[in-house]
Amino acid sequence: MDLYNTSALFNQNMSKEQQDKFQEFYKKVFSEYDITTIHDCSVGAGGTTIPFARLGYQVSGSDLSENLLNKAKENFKREGYDVELFPCDFRKLGEVLPNTYDCIISTGNSLPHVNNQDVHEFIKNIATKINKDGLLFLDMRNWDKILKERPIFSARDPLVMTAEEHVSLYQIWNWHDDLSVDFIFVSSTDRQGKHEKTSILSAPTYYPLKFEAYEKMLNDNGFEVKSCFDVDGLWFKPQNEEMKTGNFQEDFDNIGWYAVLAQKVK
Ligand SMILES: C[S@@+](CC[C@H](N)C(=O)[O-])C[C@H]1O[C@@H](n2cnc3c(N)ncnc32)[C@H](O)[C@@H]1O
């Protein structure tokens, strides 16, 4: 079953702890820029985007998945925000967006769901919808690192771990010849020590996007990278921390998830 057609991501980053962490991070990243309007082009259920609304930005969102958009409407409303949300493939956004924006964002490793050529087209089209000196913000998995390691299996943190119930989560990486990859998530539920069920969900295919390729696409379309951030602490439990120096370039091979803030300079 397709992950994005289920409720599995309905509450992603919606806990108070995660909301506070993202809000603090965004405050640090964006406070030096004079921006008001932010459009998230892969808003999902909104958990990663609501912290922008909390910081007072005027937020809107779009996504391919109507299932997740419906939940985003609920999540924003519950938090007290009435935002414009509509279905759209981000590859078509340049033609569809009603306004121009100070900042366009794509969070949660969403952009690599389309191949590199489509990412390039996306940046080219979206550039026309970003105001002068505006920003393009993205966070994604470190695909350079993933391609080097080519994992095929990883055990993730258990979803539930109580005396009565134990839900383990495993990820299988199904690599294709062109180096695109499908993530298959297997969860196994034991209750009172007895196996109850196994569920299998898969995400749409990912097309690895390397840092240098992404930076070139930005530069080719009039953007300049302003800052890059290690966001392992937001998306994972801190990892390889003892190997890190705090310098993005030096730490790159040990970072699992990062964010890139680019500014439209031409
Ligand atoms: C892992 S989720 C991340 C959602 C959200 N940004 C977050 O951080 O929680 C990936 C999202 O990308 C969306 N997506 C995938 N391909 C897309 C496309 N071509 N256009 C718009 N959204 C897309 C999916 O529907 C899904 O909501």
Side-chain angles (χ1 to χ4, degrees):
M1 193 184 284
D2 175 354
L3 178 71
Y4 301 150
N5 282 330
T6 70
S7 59
L9 297 185
F10 277 6
N11 294 316
Q12 176 154 273
N13 293 324
M14 283 302 294
S15 69
K16 178 164 175 4
E17 190 194 354
Q18 279 301 92
Q19 288 285 300
D20 289 350
K21 273 210 271 186
F22 272 88
Q23 186 171 335
E24 194 183 318
F25 171 67
Y26 293 148
K27 192 173 172 188
K28 189 176 82 190
V29 174
F30 290 91
S31 57
E32 65 180 276
Y33 298 95
D34 183 19
I35 61 167
T36 306
T37 51
I38 298 181
H39 182 82
D40 188 339
C41 67
S42 51
V43 68
T48 317
T49 321
I50 287 171
F52 282 107
R54 287 175 182 259
L55 285 168
Y57 294 111
Q58 202 177 305
V59 173
S60 57
S62 52
D63 198 282
L64 198 55
S65 162
E66 300 227 14
N67 173 51
L68 290 174
L69 272 176
N70 286 336
K71 188 63 188 180
K73 282 176 194 159
E74 231 180 273
N75 282 341
F76 272 102
K77 197 166 170 200
R78 204 180 51 236
E79 298 296 318
Y81 302 104
D82 179 18
V83 305
E84 186 189 18
L85 294 166
F86 55 90
C88 188
D89 184 324
F90 50 60
R91 287 169 291 192
K92 300 267 176 254
L93 209 55
E95 298 152 39
V96 169
L97 274 181
N99 308 308
T100 58
Y101 299 83
D102 298 330
C103 178
I104 291 187
I105 67 174
S106 177
T107 57
N109 191 39
S110 304
L111 221 45
H113 274 313
V114 301
N115 65 37
N116 285 198
Q117 197 179 333
D118 282 359
V119 174
H120 189 271
E121 280 302 304
F122 161 79
I123 297 171
K124 188 172 152 192
N125 293 336
I126 218 70
T128 64
K129 293 291 175 180
I130 297 181
N131 295 330
K132 186 171 177 294
D133 298 329
L135 303 169
L136 179 58
F137 174 80
L138 158 99
D139 73 61
M140 65 172 172
R141 285 175 182 266
N142 184 345
W143 286 99
D144 294 74
K145 182 172 187 293
I146 292 171
L147 283 172
K148 269 188 209 149
E149 295 168 357
R150 288 257 226 128
I152 52 171
F153 173 87
S154 38
R156 305 276 296 261
D157 288 339
L159 296 173
V160 180
M161 175 82 103
T162 63
E164 300 77 41
E165 193 185 10
H166 187 191
V167 184
S168 350
L169 178 65
Y170 306 100
Q171 181 175 348
I172 293 159
W173 305 62
N174 185 24
W175 291 92
H176 304 293
D177 289 346
D178 65 355
L179 292 184
S180 61
V181 60
D182 295 334
F183 289 2
I184 299 162
F185 298 99
V186 180
S187 66
S188 170
T189 305
D190 289 8
R191 208 181 297 277
Q192 310 288 11
K194 282 209 174 104
H195 179 67
E196 197 177 87
K197 63 174 178 179
T198 301
S199 333
I200 300 178
L201 289 177
S202 56
T205 302
Y206 284 102
Y207 299 85
L209 177 57
K210 289 178 158 184
F211 179 81
E212 271 187 21
Y214 181 60
E215 186 174 36
K216 181 169 181 334
M217 292 176 202
L218 290 169
N219 295 338
D220 287 349
N221 290 292
F223 289 90
E224 186 180 284
V225 171
K226 299 303 287 183
S227 334
C228 298
F229 305 90
D230 170 356
V231 293
D232 282 347
L234 294 177
W235 284 98
F236 295 129
K237 270 197 185 147
Q239 52 174 291
N240 302 327
E241 293 309 303
E242 67 294 343
M243 325 251 288
K244 291 181 181 170
T245 63
N247 175 296
F248 181 80
Q249 271 81 21
E250 284 172 24
D251 293 345
F252 189 66
D253 292 344
N254 288 312
I255 294 173
W257 201 298
Y258 64 92
V260 180
L261 182 70
Q263 187 167 38
K264 190 171 139 180
V265 289
K266 284 184 200 150

